[in-house]
Amino acid sequence: MQKAAVTFSVLLYAVVVPFLEINDTHVFNPNWTPHVRIHEVWQLITNTSIGILCLWLVWKKNQVMLPGILSMLITGGFLVAFFLKDTYGGSMKYLDGNEKTLLGINIGLLGFGFAFALLVISTVRYLNKHKRSS
């Protein structure tokens, strides 16, 4: 289960997010300052690179703890930023007021919340399994 949870979360933050953000709503948004854009591209490259490392560790080195923790840091980091958004003036709404939702829930919160929960559950199961066998 740990490998699947890591793989799912990596696909979200290393593939889906760049797909959703390399366009005129984010990276090429004419209303964003060049400084903001460089931070966005940096974050996309960093998260995708960490995702590639996680997949290599999981599927080639058969390691799950470090990739699980790294993936929890990335998905959990989004969740913390989401819940603190009012303290720094952040928003998940586009400049036109639209927000990507599914069943009335922001897709970022839904996807990363689900991924984070999967990672936590699979990590606890992994630790319990290996605790009993040692």
Side-chain angles (χ1 to χ4, degrees):
M1 180 176 181
Q2 184 78 358
K3 285 183 173 186
V6 169
T7 302
F8 174 75
S9 67
V10 167
L11 290 175
L12 285 182
Y13 67 76
V15 178
V16 173
V17 170
F19 177 78
L20 293 173
E21 295 188 1
I22 299 175
N23 58 49
D24 61 352
T25 65
H26 287 75
V27 173
F28 300 110
N29 189 328
N31 296 308
W32 284 18
T33 65
H35 184 80
V36 171
R37 286 187 206 161
I38 200 163
H39 280 281
E40 171 70 6
V41 172
W42 173 26
Q43 172 258 319
L44 292 172
I45 292 168
T46 301
N47 287 356
T48 299
S49 299
I50 292 169
I52 292 167
L53 172 65
C54 288
L55 292 177
W56 179 76
L57 288 169
V58 164
W59 295 105
K60 292 292 184 186
K61 295 295 183 178
N62 204 32
Q63 296 178 20
V64 293
M65 284 307 299
L66 179 59
I69 291 167
L70 290 171
S71 293
M72 280 190 273
L73 290 172
I74 292 173
T75 57
F78 170 84
L79 296 173
V80 171
F82 181 90
F83 288 115
L84 293 178
K85 68 185 182 307
D86 292 339
T87 66
Y88 62 88
S91 176
M92 290 300 289
K93 292 184 179 180
Y94 295 106
L95 294 176
D96 65 5
N98 286 324
E99 181 176 6
K100 289 188 190 288
T101 61
L102 180 64
L103 304 172
I105 302 169
N106 177 276
I107 62 166
L109 179 61
L110 193 63
F112 284 144
F114 182 70
F116 186 80
L118 275 178
L119 289 163
V120 169
I121 291 166
S122 64
T123 299
V124 168
R125 285 183 175 176
Y126 177 85
L127 290 172
N128 284 337
K129 179 182 171 185
H130 285 78
K131 186 178 182 181
R132 281 184 253 141
S133 65
S134 56

